[in-house]
């Protein structure tokens, strides 16, 4: 008999993740959807940075970025990623690992269009991860793209989404005396059924 009760209960890990995020949106003071995204470079050296998760879909976790920046290139090269989402207010975290696929269709267009004008122009102006001589040079580039694209810039061809389609999702909650609760959902591939295992703290 499973002892996955309370906050761990459910038959779908994406539903559990959405429930936890909804709770964090109430209690976490800043960016409850922030994730520490991990990629690897061609030599296998890890890279990590904070990005904002924009959707927990029925089959994966979606975020947006510049495809030509370091993380975009590393995601394209390896085809895999992982992240951890941690909420100090709830004393919980979620870890996710799996293959990635680009999301550069209508969903990416719609999300880009929903952003503020300055953010949309900034996506055009920034040559993400590449050297920059000064902030003034960046602002000059923003002015150029503003003049070129006006008040309704299209989504740049080098900017869009990635979806991590997990083969592993771990839910962790703090316990007294460091006797934490951990349940990991695993499957061999994105179309395979999930198995759930309780882990030692």
């Amino acid at each position: 008999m499973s002892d996955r009760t309370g906050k761990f209960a459910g038959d779908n890990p994406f539903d559990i993740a959405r429930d936890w995020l909804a709770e964090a949106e109430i209690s976490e003071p800043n960016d409850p959807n922030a994730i520490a995204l991990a990629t690897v470079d061609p030599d296998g050296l890890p890279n990590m940075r904070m990005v904002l998760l924009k959707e927990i879909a029925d089959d994966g976790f979606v975020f947006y970025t510049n495809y030509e920046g370091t993380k975009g290139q590393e995601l394209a090269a390896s085809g895999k990623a992982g992240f951890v989402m941690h909420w100090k207010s709830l004393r919980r975290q979620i870890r996710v690992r799996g293959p990635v696929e680009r999301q550069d269709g209508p969903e990416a267009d719609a999300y880009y269009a929903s952003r503020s004008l300055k953010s949309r122009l900034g996506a055009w102006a920034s040559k993400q991860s590449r050297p920059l001589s000064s902030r003034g040079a960046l602002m000059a580039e923003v002015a150029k793209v503003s003049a070129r694209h006006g008040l309704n810039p299209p989504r740049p061809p080098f900017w869009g989404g990635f979806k991590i389609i997990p083969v592993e999702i771990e839910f962790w909650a703090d316990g007294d005396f460091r006797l934490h609760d951990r349940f990991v959902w695993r499957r061999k591939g994105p179309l395979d059924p999930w198995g759930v295992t309780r882990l030692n703290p």
Side-chain angles (χ1 to χ4, degrees), residues 48-123:
M48 305 224 18
R49 77 288 285 163
M50 302 303 296
V51 301
L52 296 180
L53 184 70
K54 287 302 176 184
E55 181 186 5
I56 302 176
D58 290 337
D59 62 345
F61 298 82
V62 181
F63 61 93
Y64 291 85
T65 191
N66 185 315
Y67 291 139
E68 297 176 354
T70 299
K71 65 178 166 297
Q73 292 182 40
E74 290 178 352
L75 288 165
S78 73
K80 301 180 183 77
F83 72 77
V84 63
M85 182 177 245
H86 176 244
W87 300 293
K88 291 181 77 68
S89 62
L90 297 177
R91 299 167 73 181
R92 296 182 206 168
Q93 69 179 20
I94 298 175
R95 288 193 316 114
V96 171
R97 300 194 304 158
V100 298
E101 63 179 31
R102 275 173 62 145
Q103 296 283 105
D104 51 6
E107 296 91 349
D109 292 337
Y111 172 61
Y112 180 80
S114 76
R115 304 175 88 211
S116 71
L117 176 60
K118 288 183 179 179
S119 293
R120 283 178 281 155
L121 294 170

Side-chain angles (χ1 to χ4, degrees), residues 4 6-25 53 55-61 83 85 87 90 92 94 96 166 169-171 185 187 194 196:
R4 284 191 304 106
K7 55 185 165 282
F8 292 101
D11 299 321
N12 183 323
F14 299 108
D15 289 340
I16 299 171
R18 279 189 282 264
D19 289 345
W20 283 26
L21 178 57
E23 288 185 61
E25 287 169 348
L53 184 70
E55 181 186 5
I56 302 176
D58 290 337
D59 62 345
F61 298 82
F83 72 77
M85 182 177 245
W87 300 293
L90 297 177
R92 296 182 206 168
I94 298 175
V96 171
I169 305 175
E170 181 187 321
F171 297 92
W185 296 64
R187 56 186 178 177
W194 291 103
V196 189

Side-chain angles (χ1 to χ4, degrees), residues 130-150:
R130 281 158 281 181
L132 176 66
S133 61
S134 67
R135 184 161 186 86
L138 177 61
M139 300 317 293
E141 189 61 29
V142 171
K144 284 183 195 174
V145 298
S146 299
R148 186 181 318 133
H149 295 293

